[in-house]
Amino acid sequence: MFKIKQKKGGWYSVILIVLIVFVMVVLVDVFKGRSFSSSSLETGSVVRESTLPGYNYEISDGEYSAYFKSTISKEGAVKYIRNGVEISFQPIEMRYVSSSNNSKYLQPIASAKNVPAKIGDDVITFENVFEGVDFVYEYTPETLKERIILKDAGTFFTPHPKILANDPALGIQFIFDFKNSDLVIDGEKWDKSSTRKTKGNLTFRNFKLEPVFLKDANGKVTELEYEIKRSGQSFFVTVQIPYSALEDAAFPLEIDPSITATQEIGGPATEEAGEGDILAPPAPSD
């Protein structure tokens, strides 16, 4: 009788192990599937494996298609396509700048890091693109919402004295490349090589970059400014945050330069614009 019980228990053990392995395989398949087919109950949008060569993820359930590379620092990391018109962009640098028209100083803080995408339902997040700064892309049927989250005031050292004396601002710079599109700023085609600033829309042929605002943890809202220049076929767009807004704000902060579908218009652009005097970050104190 003892041997019979031992044998019977052995069969139970084998069956139990098989069931555990089966459940683990199913769970692994489910979580793998989330990486490429994660659906939002609110919008119905799905993050899936990209059909566009060179991109890893795709959301294309509304007025436009959005494509993302696996890391944010790659060239053209985010691509937006609507009715044959497209732009691709990526953040490249965070810097202090002097926003005075008579001053051209800039002071680099950090370059964009090679951080991987984290996939949600209709959301793709890149954490700590700059130290303490996340980039979140949320798909809605008409708008690709970009939220830049500045998590900690301790990330930001005091700007160089020459910048402090000339309307200091924090700049987050992107490079844009585009096809079959013009650029209109404040209702006018922009075809100049000089730097242009605006608190309005950046309007492409059939979509626009919305006016940008800063919102702090207490709900205080500050209107921000875009700075735009062209080099070759690329536009450099910098979101500028007054340094005074950083000093007075309750962290974390959220910046929202989102892209929205529009009716079609047109507008070209032209040559290069140069940088100002580059200032080194301060030496660390003992």
Side-chain angles (χ1 to χ4, degrees), residues 232-246:
Q233 291 300 309
S234 297
F235 284 100
F236 291 87
V237 179
T238 303
V239 177
Q240 292 197 340
I241 306 104
Y243 185 66
S244 59
L246 294 179

Side-chain angles (χ1 to χ4, degrees), residues 9-269:
W11 278 110
Y12 285 155
S13 297
V14 170
I15 292 170
L16 182 60
I17 291 170
V18 169
L19 287 172
I20 290 172
V21 170
F22 175 76
V23 170
M24 289 177 67
V25 168
V26 170
L27 288 174
V28 167
D29 285 344
V30 167
F31 282 106
K32 279 186 177 179
R34 274 188 68 85
S35 296
F36 295 102
S37 183
S38 183
S39 177
S40 167
L41 294 177
E42 184 176 343
T43 66
S45 300
V46 178
V47 179
R48 56 175 64 88
E49 188 171 2
S50 177
T51 58
L52 186 68
Y55 287 82
N56 301 90
Y57 309 108
E58 172 183 342
I59 316 177
S60 53
D61 301 294
E63 288 279 332
Y64 61 95
S65 296
Y67 302 90
F68 302 85
K69 294 187 177 180
S70 59
T71 58
I72 191 75
S73 63
K74 290 184 178 180
E75 182 178 354
V78 181
K79 186 182 288 285
Y80 177 107
I81 300 178
R82 182 170 185 254
N83 298 338
V85 180
E86 64 182 68
I87 58 170
S88 58
F89 57 91
Q90 82 266 16
I92 56 173
E93 189 175 63
M94 186 165 65
R95 49 170 66 169
Y96 286 126
V97 297
S98 54
S99 56
S100 168
N101 290 330
N102 298 321
S103 176
K104 299 287 185 180
Y105 296 118
L106 65 89
Q107 182 179 12
I109 298 173
S111 297
K113 293 192 291 187
N114 193 34
V115 296
K118 292 191 174 183
I119 308 304
D121 293 337
D122 50 2
V123 175
I124 294 181
T125 301
F126 299 91
E127 295 181 347
N128 293 310
V129 175
F130 308 111
E131 191 62 39
V133 182
D134 295 347
F135 285 68
V136 181
Y137 295 90
E138 180 181 354
Y139 189 101
T140 69
E142 294 185 352
T143 301
L144 179 61
K145 295 182 178 180
E146 180 179 44
R147 294 184 289 125
I148 304 171
I149 312 296
L150 284 61
K151 297 183 286 188
D152 185 4
T155 302
F156 305 101
F157 55 78
T158 303
H160 191 283
K162 288 186 177 180
I163 291 179
L164 281 174
N166 290 278
D167 299 327
L170 175 70
I172 299 176
Q173 188 177 60
F174 298 79
I175 184 171
F176 278 72
D177 291 307
F178 60 92
K179 292 183 179 179
N180 305 322
S181 181
D182 303 319
L183 176 61
V184 172
I185 303 172
D186 296 332
E188 298 180 354
K189 289 183 181 180
W190 187 58
D191 58 359
K192 302 174 183 177
S193 59
S194 59
T195 298
R196 182 76 179 268
K197 295 182 180 182
T198 182
K199 292 183 177 179
N201 299 315
L202 301 184
T203 306
F204 293 86
R205 181 174 152 192
N206 56 19
F207 47 82
K208 64 183 178 182
L209 201 60
E210 299 276 5
V212 62
F213 295 89
L214 171 76
K215 184 177 181 180
D216 78 357
N218 293 332
K220 180 181 178 181
V221 176
T222 303
E223 186 179 29
L224 303 182
E225 188 172 54
Y226 292 116
E227 180 184 79
I228 311 98
K229 67 179 181 182
R230 182 178 179 177
S231 178
Q233 291 300 309
S234 297
F235 284 100
F236 291 87
V237 179
T238 303
V239 177
Q240 292 197 340
I241 306 104
Y243 185 66
S244 59
L246 294 179
E247 289 182 303
D248 299 337
F251 280 72
L253 312 180
E254 182 173 316
I255 304 168
D256 63 346
S258 299
I259 304 174
T260 299
T262 64
Q263 294 183 345
E264 294 209 358
I265 61 165

